[in-house]
Amino acid sequence: MDWIRLTKSGKDLTGLKGRLIEVTEEELKKHNKKDDCWICIRGFVYNVSPYMEYHPGGEDELMRAAGSDGTELFDQVHRWVNYESMLKECLVGRMAVKPAVLKDYREEEKKVLNVKGGIKYGIQHSTSDVFSPVTSCNLDPGPYKIGTHLHIYIFSCLFLWAYLSLCGMLPKSQVTDTLAKEGPNYPSYDWFQTDSLVTIAIYTKQKDINLDSIIVDRQDDSFRAETIIKDCLYLIHIGLSREVQEDFSVRVIESVGKIEIVLKKKENTSWNFLGHPLENHHSLIPRKDTGLYYRKCQLISKEDVTHDTRLFCLMLPPSTHLQVPIGQHVYLKLSITGTEIVKPYTPVSGSLFSEFKEPVLPNNKYIYFLIKIYPTGLFTPELDRLQIGDFVSMSSPEGTFKISEFQELEDLFLLAAGTGFTPMVKILNYALTDIPTLRKVKLMFFNKTEDDIIWRSQLEKLAFKDKRLDVEFVLSAPTSEWNGKQGHISPALLSEFLKRNLDKSRVLVCICGPVPFTEQGIRLLHDLNFSKNEIHSFTA
């Protein structure tokens, strides 16, 4: 609304005092600064400098197209936006075009204007589930000049916009729903609709956003989307104004930090508003200050891995999107004798080999856990008693491990004891498939007996298949037939094991196990001159 008020103020937003000019490529390139920024979209040039502070995606995104043709970038992110109406007061003129392009412009006129038949409205689908308001018409341009057509075109756009707004047919902008911007880097959101879909767009203004960064939960009419932005969580929490179906889709445009969540309406009717705000809606909260949010997951399968370790498979609700990042954990919660008991666990892959995996549901709906059952424990026996089809509550992901720690990594050392092996599963899978600089991965796996070794045959097969991987098993209570290493974590074992490929190799040592094991291991690693930045310990 502030931008509309500015465009209605009569202020010269082009700097040309109302003149329209023909812009050459050379002239366009000169206007590439924040306070003098021209952008070409579909053959027309706009001075977007006055619009900088109003752009939901931030100034940096507009500057990506400064002094150039931004049509392709615009279509990636904002194809549904009626930019002609929003920027009409910023119109500098048209590009100096070749006759073939001029012909295309006249074809566009035919689509927009229909003097004889009136203006029709429709929705155009793109392959990326983004929707554009379009017009359909038949007009013989006749003897009119392009300048005359442009005035008719602008007038028709304004008329169409006003008419459809009154009818409630335009994609609804979140102008009335979005709270005031709290700063240039504060996230924002918007929404628009078609007859059957509602799309919620989140503008994070960050470059490192991916599908792991967004968690979506919908229960009844409540819609909740958590976006992880560095050390904070941006929350959208809304009671939807109308009913939607269970399934939805999530799309991330990483290059601009935009997230699109597409909901399916239960009834093909126009929504007058998205919904009403719920607790902490449109807030940016430090992650350390956020409480745990749980959703009920269904037990799909459980199978024995060792004599006391099970592989549990849980299925997320259809109305949830959640992907647990590598190296992070979740909390499982059960009600035991009237008391809620919570324990942390690190999800694993279904197996170390893709050919062993069960068919997975779309959008990574299966979450796997390797869990040791303690007969005298409180939580794990109750978990083990669950039947297929029963439910257990699972929190959103937690943890400090960042995948950026793998950048340019050459040597990776993994120290695991017992079920401390669980965070190493996804790390192994990722390291051997997605780190091109990696020369060597070494796993030292501590257990009490041979029967305690989790996925021993899979580890041996993986080491045989990929020569970069070395696996050493260390037992503290072996049988007389054991020919491998024995004992507990010690300077002698580690000094022999932790040998870099090169003197100045970039290395990372990951360690996980019982608390005494981890604390002792960290002390020994420091004694062996590994720096704090080269060590990551998994604790919960």
Side-chain angles (χ1 to χ4, degrees):
M1 295 303 296
D2 290 338
W3 173 247
I4 291 173
R5 290 189 192 98
L6 179 59
T7 61
K8 303 289 186 186
S9 67
K11 185 177 180 180
D12 178 17
L13 300 183
T14 65
L16 298 175
K17 298 180 180 179
R19 292 183 298 119
L20 293 177
I21 64 173
E22 196 169 64
V23 182
T24 64
E25 289 187 14
E26 291 74 18
E27 181 65 23
L28 178 63
K29 290 177 182 177
K30 295 177 184 177
H31 301 273
N32 61 359
K33 300 178 179 62
K34 180 178 172 182
D35 58 353
D36 180 20
C37 182
W38 290 9
I39 292 176
C40 174
I41 304 177
R42 294 190 177 86
F44 289 93
V45 179
Y46 300 90
N47 179 359
V48 298
S49 298
Y51 183 60
M52 286 282 178
E53 63 179 293
Y54 301 93
H55 184 236
E59 298 172 354
D60 291 344
E61 292 308 314
L62 284 178
M63 290 303 296
R64 292 176 65 194
S68 65
D69 190 329
T71 304
E72 184 177 350
L73 181 63
F74 175 85
D75 283 343
Q76 288 177 11
V77 186
H78 293 307
R79 184 172 177 176
W80 55 274
V81 172
N82 186 358
Y83 69 92
E84 299 100 325
S85 174
M86 290 180 61
L87 298 177
K88 65 182 183 296
E89 297 300 332
C90 300
L91 182 65
V92 171
R94 59 184 174 88
M95 290 294 294
V97 293
K98 299 176 182 179
V101 178
L102 200 57
K103 181 180 178 181
D104 290 342
Y105 169 77
R106 291 170 69 87
E107 289 300 318
E108 283 297 312
E109 290 178 341
K110 292 180 183 181
K111 295 178 184 176
V112 175
L113 303 175
N114 186 351
V115 173
K116 295 178 183 178
I119 301 174
K120 299 178 183 179
Y121 180 81
I123 294 292
Q124 173 180 325
H125 293 255
S126 76
T127 55
S128 60
D129 293 330
V130 182
F131 308 93
S132 305
V134 298
T135 52
S136 174
C137 52
N138 294 300
L139 171 69
D140 181 0
Y144 297 111
K145 295 181 180 179
I146 287 179
T148 305
H149 290 166
L150 180 60
H151 284 90
I152 297 173
Y153 170 72
I154 294 174
F155 174 80
S156 300
C157 282
L158 289 170
F159 177 81
L160 174 64
W161 178 82
Y163 174 77
L164 294 176
S165 292
L166 290 172
C167 295
M169 295 172 66
L170 274 179
K172 298 292 184 182
S173 172
Q174 196 63 28
V175 169
T176 56
D177 287 27
T178 304
L179 301 181
K181 183 169 63 174
E182 283 83 353
N185 295 318
Y186 200 89
S188 61
Y189 75 100
D190 203 342
W191 74 284
F192 56 97
Q193 65 177 309
T194 68
D195 284 344
S196 60
L197 302 173
V198 169
T199 298
I200 299 172
I202 301 172
Y203 304 96
T204 67
K205 304 177 185 176
Q206 304 291 325
K207 301 294 186 185
D208 55 351
I209 298 298
N210 53 43
L211 283 173
D212 290 351
S213 306
I214 176 74
I215 302 168
V216 181
D217 289 284
R218 195 192 57 75
Q219 296 180 6
D220 300 323
D221 66 343
S222 170
F223 173 86
R224 179 186 176 93
E226 302 177 1
T227 306
I228 299 166
I229 302 176
K230 296 182 179 178
D231 294 325
C232 293
L233 186 146
Y234 174 62
L235 178 64
I236 294 178
H237 196 194
I238 294 171
L240 296 173
S241 63
R242 297 289 187 97
E243 290 185 323
V244 295
Q245 299 180 36
E246 274 193 339
D247 59 318
F248 59 88
S249 62
V250 179
R251 175 175 176 251
V252 174
I253 306 170
E254 295 185 25
S255 59
V256 294
K258 178 185 175 185
I259 299 167
E260 290 180 341
I261 305 162
V262 182
L263 308 174
K264 298 178 182 178
K265 298 178 179 178
K266 275 198 174 179
E267 297 179 352
N268 292 346
T269 57
S270 179
W271 292 18
N272 293 325
F273 63 102
L274 181 60
H276 58 276
L278 299 177
E279 184 181 8
N280 292 326
H281 171 61
H282 187 52
S283 58
L284 189 64
I285 311 167
R287 291 185 70 184
K288 61 182 178 61
D289 297 335
T290 59
L292 293 174
Y293 183 83
Y294 290 88
R295 69 279 303 151
K296 287 188 176 297
C297 299
Q298 190 173 33
L299 179 62
I300 298 301
S301 67
K302 60 178 176 178
E303 60 183 65
D304 292 340
V305 176
T306 69
H307 63 99
D308 60 359
T309 303
R310 315 269 190 273
L311 179 66
F312 291 82
C313 178
L314 301 181
M315 184 175 69
L316 292 167
S319 53
T320 292
H321 165 85
L322 184 154
Q323 295 184 10
V324 182
I326 292 172
Q328 295 199 11
H329 60 271
V330 298
Y331 291 88
L332 299 184
K333 180 171 69 173
L334 289 173
S335 180
I336 302 173
T337 62
T339 302
E340 289 187 336
I341 306 296
V342 174
K343 293 280 284 184
Y345 293 101
T346 302
V348 300
S349 307
S351 139
L352 291 175
F353 292 95
S354 57
E355 62 262 31
F356 292 160
K357 291 182 182 178
E358 300 176 34
V360 296
L361 294 176
N363 302 322
N364 299 317
K365 289 292 185 181
Y366 286 173
I367 310 286
Y368 293 91
F369 298 92
L370 282 168
I371 298 176
K372 182 175 181 179
I373 308 301
Y374 294 90
T376 58
L378 180 64
F379 187 87
T380 57
E382 194 71 22
L383 184 67
D384 197 34
R385 280 192 283 269
L386 291 179
Q387 302 298 308
I388 304 304
D390 287 346
F391 289 86
V392 59
S393 295
M394 189 183 84
S395 77
S396 299
E398 299 269 311
T400 59
F401 187 83
K402 292 180 173 58
I403 205 162
S404 58
E405 297 191 44
F406 289 130
Q407 287 180 0
E408 299 180 359
L409 192 64
E410 295 170 282
D411 293 326
L412 175 62
F413 300 106
L414 308 176
L415 302 173
T419 50
F421 171 66
T422 55
M424 312 306 176
V425 174
K426 285 189 175 182
I427 286 176
L428 272 174
N429 278 325
Y430 182 81
L432 295 174
T433 56
D434 292 289
I435 307 178
T437 56
L438 194 65
R439 292 195 183 98
K440 200 71 179 174
V441 181
K442 297 182 73 175
L443 168 67
M444 182 169 276
F445 195 0
F446 293 81
N447 285 279
K448 188 175 181 180
T449 69
E450 286 187 77
D451 291 339
D452 295 317
I453 301 174
I454 297 170
W455 282 347
R456 178 179 179 180
S457 62
Q458 288 193 41
L459 284 167
E460 290 173 340
K461 182 177 178 180
L462 187 60
F464 178 80
K465 179 181 175 182
D466 195 320
K467 300 305 179 186
R468 293 174 298 170
L469 175 62
D470 284 342
V471 180
E472 293 186 13
F473 301 110
V474 183
L475 302 182
S476 60
T479 62
S480 57
E481 290 86 21
W482 176 251
N483 296 319
K485 288 185 167 54
Q486 302 181 28
H488 297 86
I489 191 167
S490 65
L493 281 173
L494 292 189
S495 59
E496 181 184 350
F497 175 73
L498 299 171
K499 292 182 179 178
R500 303 172 187 246
N501 249 340
L502 301 171
D503 289 340
K504 295 183 179 179
S505 293
R506 177 171 168 77
V507 303
L508 177 66
V509 184
C510 296
I511 183 169
C512 186
V515 173
F517 170 86
T518 302
E519 291 178 347
Q520 173 72 356
I522 292 173
R523 284 194 293 270
L524 294 176
L525 290 171
H526 287 312
D527 292 342
L528 292 170
N529 297 318
F530 285 92
S531 69
K532 183 179 178 180
N533 293 334
E534 293 175 327
I535 303 169
H536 186 92
S537 61
F538 291 96
T539 56

